[in-house]
Amino acid sequence: MAFMEKPPAGKVLLDDTVPLTAQIEASQSLHSHTEYIIRVQRGVSAENSWQIVRRYSDFDLLNNSLQISTLSLPLPPKKLIGNMEREFIAERQKGLQAYLDVITTHHILSNCEVVKKFLDPNSYSVNYTEIALQHVSMFFRSEPKWEVVEPLKDIGWRIRKKYFLMKIKNQPKERLVLSWADLGPDKYLSDKDLQYAVKLLSSCSHPYIYKVTFAIANESSALVIRPFSEKGTLKDLIYKAKPKEPFLKKYCNPKKIQGLELQQIKTYGRQILEVLKFLHEKGFPYGHLHSANVMLDGDTCKLLDLENSLLGLPSFYRSYFSQFRKINTLEGVDVHCFGHLLFEMTYGRPPDTIPVESFAPAPSVFVVSVLESILTCEAMKNGMPTVSRLLQMPLFSDVLLTNSEKPQFKVPTKLKEALKISKECIEKRLTEEQKLFHQHRRLTRAQSHHGSEEEKKKRKILARKKSKRSAYESGEEHSAKYSNSNNSAGSGASSPLTSPSSPTPPSTSGIKFTASDLLPIPFNTLF
């Protein structure tokens, strides 16, 4: 079967970047062990949740798989004696919850395959390496000049994207990288347009775009071949990592945190902004900027993975910008991602939180000025600056670009129209997701405010006042009725109104009252 024939895999509708949260709801002790019942939720909708059952040994296996990250994770220690005691189980449950909170909020760990399989085994039961190998084997049947040297295991962060080191049989010393990926939830191009657009990538020539040697797509996946670079990516430079090592090992816990020199920040930043501007002018959507998608070629940055938006793959930073309604275009997404990249180049690490409240001293005030325009709370509320505006800022405006290569990327008019529609669909899904997140945040805030101690006190005081008011009004009504009763039973000077046909009321002159009957109701009985 040739690669272009229909493969066994199908289009993936699940967005792997939607965060999973996990809450231990209960524990149950069996004869020899304890099981923990965990509620897992995808995104903000409580309806999109399920239960899983895990033992401590399952947590231990997960933790062993994550040791490659060299992070110190807070898994509670093992205990052989007394591990079935109620107090110990309750304490361990707290510890396991803390462990889940750490791995589900860590940006890289939460997106890795072992964590996804632990929390959502039904959605991640497939062996994607085997599927990738099947597709690569099909490709080699029709293109016998290529040969696999070795799989590059887990060098990327995507679960459904696999990499292989390649060579051409008649050029055995030259090394290339083959990447295979499923189609994602944002794939809106028709199969015909997708296949044409992916093929077009090898014709793209730009000083700041990494060359594609070969590219092909079918109804469910795509395969792209590029030259292999021993220097690696911009992220490898920042983290001083080896390109072939697994993503978790390279980037989770760098040994030394150090940003780049100011001139590198200025030059690399300017080059990246120039290529983003070029793609936007061509109507070619990107939305996948991060430091591991920027290849280094000498002193030049070159953008990788232009195929990602065509295939409908979600962005590395989607869980961040999907929280902010003003970041609702692909240019806005690219600018927001550029803010993350600039922060990493400056400080040698990703930001702790988004938005960023304050910035540590940087090599230049102009760096901080750009970061403030993208990553602060005010920027999230007002919207992202344009790429053209960033190019005009002092940090980049005086950078001299020496590369004289003329960009060439001819996109036919018909494909441009299809790309425009696809871009609009991608932005629409993002807007809908942001709307759901905003509604959830408002509801959560209202519930949090309603359940706060201050609010509880206010409600108690209001309830007490209302109760007193009701009692007072009830007492006044009772007093008024009593007074009317006394008046009607008095000397007869005033008698109740009667209609002409009503009988005359009986005389009250013979009725006597005691002194106690005439006393008013004590004031304190009203409260």
Side-chain angles (χ1 to χ4, degrees):
M1 180 176 10
F3 179 76
M4 291 303 293
E5 293 179 41
K6 191 174 181 180
K11 178 184 173 181
V12 177
L13 298 177
L14 183 67
D15 187 339
D16 296 322
T17 64
V18 177
L20 299 179
T21 53
Q23 189 71 34
I24 302 177
E25 295 183 323
S27 61
Q28 55 188 17
S29 296
L30 303 180
H31 294 295
S32 59
H33 66 273
T34 302
E35 292 180 338
Y36 299 91
I37 301 166
I38 306 168
R39 171 69 59 181
V40 182
Q41 182 174 312
R42 175 176 286 107
V44 297
S45 175
E47 295 176 0
N48 195 1
S49 67
W50 57 92
Q51 277 188 341
I52 58 173
V53 178
R54 294 288 181 266
R55 298 169 56 173
Y56 177 82
S57 58
D58 297 321
F59 280 90
D60 191 45
L61 283 171
L62 171 65
N63 194 61
N64 289 336
S65 299
L66 297 177
Q67 289 305 299
I68 192 172
S69 69
T70 71
L71 289 168
S72 180
L73 300 172
L75 182 71
K78 293 180 180 180
K79 186 178 181 182
L80 299 177
I81 300 172
N83 59 7
M84 298 299 289
E85 295 173 359
R86 184 179 298 176
E87 294 78 9
F88 171 76
I89 291 172
E91 195 61 31
R92 173 175 274 184
Q93 182 172 321
K94 288 180 184 177
L96 293 175
Q97 183 62 60
Y99 179 81
L100 287 172
D101 292 342
V102 168
I103 64 173
T104 54
T105 54
H106 189 284
H107 184 58
I108 295 178
L109 291 184
S110 62
N111 281 299
C112 76
E113 188 171 0
V114 288
V115 171
K116 295 285 190 184
K117 283 187 173 181
F118 180 85
L119 296 174
D120 187 6
N122 291 335
S123 298
Y124 298 95
S125 58
V126 176
N127 188 323
Y128 296 104
T129 303
E130 285 186 5
I131 293 176
L133 282 169
Q134 289 175 20
H135 282 76
V136 172
S137 298
M138 293 176 201
F139 166 68
F140 284 150
R141 290 175 191 174
S142 58
E143 298 284 344
K145 68 176 182 177
W146 309 97
E147 187 177 317
V148 171
V149 177
E150 62 176 314
L152 297 172
K153 191 177 179 183
D154 300 328
I155 66 164
W157 68 276
R158 292 188 187 277
I159 296 171
R160 306 171 200 270
K161 192 169 190 175
K162 300 300 175 182
Y163 299 84
F164 302 87
L165 192 65
M166 307 283 296
K167 69 178 180 180
I168 303 173
K169 287 182 179 179
N170 61 1
Q171 298 174 9
K173 290 186 178 180
E174 187 179 351
R175 292 291 181 264
L176 304 106
V177 174
L178 181 151
S179 64
W180 170 89
D182 261 340
L183 304 185
D186 278 325
K187 185 261 182 185
Y188 295 107
L189 290 173
S190 69
D191 291 342
K192 185 178 177 181
D193 286 334
L194 171 66
Q195 290 166 17
Y196 185 75
V198 169
K199 261 190 176 180
L200 203 64
L201 294 176
S202 58
S203 68
C204 177
S205 176
H206 191 283
Y208 309 127
I209 293 177
Y210 202 62
K211 179 68 179 171
V212 171
T213 305
F214 181 88
I216 192 169
N218 60 25
E219 296 87 351
S220 64
S221 62
L223 182 152
V224 180
I225 299 176
R226 293 180 174 89
F228 175 73
S229 171
E230 294 288 347
K231 279 192 172 183
T233 64
L234 179 57
K235 201 175 189 78
D236 292 325
L237 174 69
I238 296 169
Y239 289 77
K240 299 169 180 60
K242 296 176 181 178
K244 290 184 183 180
E245 290 185 338
F247 202 86
L248 292 187
K249 184 177 181 179
K250 290 189 287 189
Y251 308 132
C252 273
N253 191 25
K255 294 177 181 178
K256 188 177 181 182
I257 297 175
Q258 184 179 353
L260 303 182
E261 298 291 332
L262 178 59
Q263 192 54 48
Q264 287 177 305
I265 295 171
K266 289 167 67 72
T267 303
Y268 294 162
R270 175 66 187 267
Q271 291 171 350
I272 292 165
L273 289 173
E274 287 289 346
V275 70
L276 289 177
K277 183 184 177 186
F278 171 79
L279 290 173
H280 295 161
E281 288 173 351
K282 287 288 181 181
F284 198 95
Y286 187 55
H288 291 272
L289 181 63
H290 61 92
S291 56
N293 264 0
V294 178
M295 191 65 78
L296 284 177
D297 185 5
D299 294 328
T300 304
C301 276
K302 298 195 173 188
L303 213 58
L304 281 170
D305 288 0
L306 263 63
E307 70 273 13
N308 282 358
S309 59
L310 304 176
L311 306 181
L313 306 183
S315 170
F316 182 64
Y317 291 119
R318 187 180 181 90
S319 60
Y320 290 102
F321 60 73
S322 61
Q323 300 178 38
F324 305 103
R325 300 176 81 178
K326 288 289 185 177
I327 308 173
N328 52 17
T329 65
L330 281 186
E331 181 176 5
V333 167
D334 281 334
V335 170
H336 178 77
C337 295
F338 179 79
H340 283 263
L341 186 148
L342 181 61
F343 188 102
E344 233 176 343
M345 287 197 293
T346 304
Y347 299 109
R349 59 177 181 83
D352 295 325
T353 57
I354 297 292
V356 179
E357 292 183 3
S358 61
F359 296 92
S364 165
V365 292
F366 295 143
V367 175
V368 175
S369 178
V370 176
L371 289 172
E372 286 176 341
S373 73
I374 300 173
L375 296 180
T376 58
C377 189
E378 185 180 357
M380 303 298 173
K381 289 179 180 177
N382 298 331
M384 298 290 100
T386 62
V387 171
S388 296
R389 172 73 188 99
L390 291 177
L391 283 166
Q392 293 169 1
M393 295 182 80
L395 182 63
F396 307 115
S397 60
D398 64 347
V399 175
L400 183 64
L401 298 176
T402 56
N403 201 307
S404 59
E405 181 187 343
K406 188 178 179 181
Q408 288 185 344
F409 191 27
K410 292 182 180 178
V411 182
T413 305
K414 189 176 179 182
L415 181 59
K416 271 188 179 180
E417 186 60 34
L419 288 172
K420 181 184 176 183
I421 295 169
S422 174
K423 173 179 171 288
E424 289 169 354
C425 291
I426 292 170
E427 290 171 348
K428 183 181 178 183
R429 187 175 85 87
L430 174 60
T431 302
E432 289 171 351
E433 190 175 315
Q434 289 169 334
K435 185 179 178 181
L436 286 174
F437 186 90
H438 182 69
Q439 290 171 346
H440 172 74
R441 185 157 51 186
R442 287 180 63 185
L443 179 62
T444 303
R445 283 176 181 171
Q447 289 172 340
S448 176
H449 178 69
H450 189 73
S452 66
E453 289 300 319
E454 188 178 348
E455 272 301 300
K456 286 178 182 177
K457 286 179 182 178
K458 284 181 181 178
R459 288 200 300 274
K460 282 181 181 179
I461 292 169
L462 287 172
R464 207 175 293 130
K465 285 181 179 179
K466 188 176 180 181
S467 177
K468 286 182 178 181
R469 194 181 300 116
S470 297
Y472 181 78
E473 289 171 355
S474 176
E476 278 194 329
E477 186 181 341
H478 181 67
S479 178
K481 284 182 180 179
Y482 189 83
S483 176
N484 288 339
S485 175
N486 285 346
N487 289 339
S488 64
S491 59
S494 63
S495 59
L497 295 173
T498 59
S499 63
S501 59
S502 301
T504 304
S507 172
T508 57
S509 58
I511 300 175
K512 296 181 180 180
F513 294 94
T514 63
S516 62
D517 291 328
L518 300 176
L519 288 175
I521 299 172
F523 181 77
N524 61 1
T525 62
L526 299 178
F527 298 92

